[in-house]
Amino acid sequence: MTQHNAIKLFESKKIRTVWDDKEEKWYFSIVDVVAVLTDSPNPRKYWSVLKTRLKKEGSELATNCSQLKMKSADGKMYLTDVADTKQLLRLIQSIPSPKAEPFKQWMAQVATERLEQMQDPELSINQALMDYKRMGYSDNWINQRLKSIEIRKDLTDEWKRHGLQEGIQFATLTDIIYQTWSDMTAKEYKRFKGLKKENLRDNMTNKELVLNMLAELSTKEISESKNPETFQEHKDIAAAGGEIARNARMELEAKTGKPVISPLNAKTGISTNSLLENGEDEK
């Protein structure tokens, strides 16, 4: 079951969501929904009291609600009570709120947008573009990042074609690619940039993104050519793809006298750095 965490906004308030590819449905954080509908200063307590009451009433919602890991305010992932659209509609009936109807309309819009994106991948790309713009990234960086997403998907599709499993096998191969071209595992690379749970690629400079794209594109091309049958062969190919990017990195560093790998991240100025890399004045 592949899940994708996302933040959705209702009247400027954040609601944590998870899209489940297998079930093709959204799950919403119940606490976040309660916070929106009630404006309670302590939505967790409100939900706890409501859940106890619903259990006494024999409500299936209270006894059957699922838990999924979602990022909390401290940046850590915790198991959180969630509800799908159908369950959430029943929950809303139990909470007197003038926002109930607007919230139902918002839920329908969220569901429709996701279905449209599944039919037309370009809509997902446009959504990602707008999200990155809101976070302050430069147009040049956004273009590189969107291209890197496409190349990454091509690579993971190739791995899936060979029957590799998302999770530990994908992570192992990705680590080999990173370590070969950058001399750091993903964990070490994130530590170097001062990251914790953040996405590493979202915190790369243009040069880092380009070299990582070269490594992943090379890995995919070599895999298609050699048609590996064992996981060890896939690991060897990941190293070969990473080596192509490493050679490019070493040559660029030798010609410019500057390191490619940067400690900069999204918070410390990769957007500004992207402008400077392309010869533009900081404004």
Side-chain angles (χ1 to χ4, degrees), residues 59-74:
S59 169
E60 292 184 1
L61 171 63
T63 55
N64 296 337
C65 72
S66 303
Q67 285 194 323
L68 294 173
K69 282 194 172 183
M70 290 183 164
K71 186 180 288 187
S72 185
D74 62 5

Side-chain angles (χ1 to χ4, degrees), residues 1-8 15-21 23-29 67-71 77-78 80 82-85 110 114:
M1 178 172 63
T2 304
Q3 298 171 350
H4 307 278
N5 286 274
I7 298 291
K8 299 294 182 182
I15 297 179
R16 291 167 295 169
T17 63
V18 173
W19 173 259
D20 188 310
D21 281 339
E23 297 185 18
E24 294 189 352
K25 65 167 67 173
W26 283 110
Y27 285 94
F28 301 81
S29 163
Q67 285 194 323
L68 294 173
K69 282 194 172 183
M70 290 183 164
K71 186 180 288 187
M77 303 292 284
Y78 297 102
T80 304
V82 297
D84 62 20
T85 302
V110 168
R114 180 58 189 175

Side-chain angles (χ1 to χ4, degrees), residues 103-208:
F103 192 84
K104 289 178 185 178
Q105 294 173 14
W106 173 84
M107 285 173 57
Q109 180 183 353
V110 168
T112 300
E113 286 176 355
R114 180 58 189 175
L115 291 173
E116 289 175 346
Q117 288 171 3
M118 289 170 67
Q119 296 296 322
D120 185 357
E122 186 177 344
L123 294 175
S124 296
I125 294 173
N126 290 337
Q127 183 63 53
L129 189 152
M130 290 187 291
D131 290 341
Y132 282 126
K133 276 185 174 294
R134 279 198 296 267
M135 290 186 281
Y137 289 97
S138 69
D139 288 344
N140 184 278
W141 184 94
I142 292 171
N143 290 334
Q144 296 282 17
R145 182 68 180 101
L146 294 181
K147 188 64 180 177
S148 76
I149 292 171
E150 178 187 342
I151 289 174
R152 174 67 181 181
K153 185 179 186 305
D154 288 344
L155 175 58
T156 56
D157 284 347
E158 170 67 8
W159 287 342
K160 289 176 184 178
R161 185 174 71 84
H162 285 276
L164 300 185
Q165 299 297 313
E166 295 184 61
I168 189 166
Q169 287 189 322
F170 278 26
T172 297
L173 295 176
T174 301
D175 248 4
I176 291 171
I177 293 171
Y178 278 139
Q179 192 159 29
T180 304
W181 83 259
S182 72
D183 294 323
M184 288 183 283
T185 63
K187 186 176 181 180
E188 291 167 342
Y189 207 155
K190 291 177 76 170
R191 188 183 304 122
F192 176 71
K193 282 182 170 288
L195 307 175
K196 293 181 180 179
K197 296 291 184 180
E198 299 92 335
N199 184 294
L200 178 55
R201 295 176 187 84
D202 280 351
N203 290 274
M204 287 183 174
T205 64
N206 271 341
K207 287 184 288 189
E208 291 171 301

Side-chain angles (χ1 to χ4, degrees), residues 13-76:
K13 293 187 177 180
K14 293 181 179 179
I15 297 179
R16 291 167 295 169
T17 63
V18 173
W19 173 259
D20 188 310
D21 281 339
K22 185 176 180 180
E23 297 185 18
E24 294 189 352
K25 65 167 67 173
W26 283 110
Y27 285 94
F28 301 81
S29 163
I30 293 178
V31 169
D32 292 353
V33 173
V34 168
V36 166
L37 294 178
T38 66
D39 291 322
S40 169
N42 193 339
R44 292 186 184 280
K45 185 175 181 181
Y46 189 106
W47 167 233
S48 177
V49 172
L50 177 59
K51 182 162 60 170
T52 300
R53 192 193 72 182
L54 291 174
K55 282 183 178 179
K56 290 180 179 178
E57 294 174 354
S59 169
E60 292 184 1
L61 171 63
T63 55
N64 296 337
C65 72
S66 303
Q67 285 194 323
L68 294 173
K69 282 194 172 183
M70 290 183 164
K71 186 180 288 187
S72 185
D74 62 5
K76 297 181 180 179

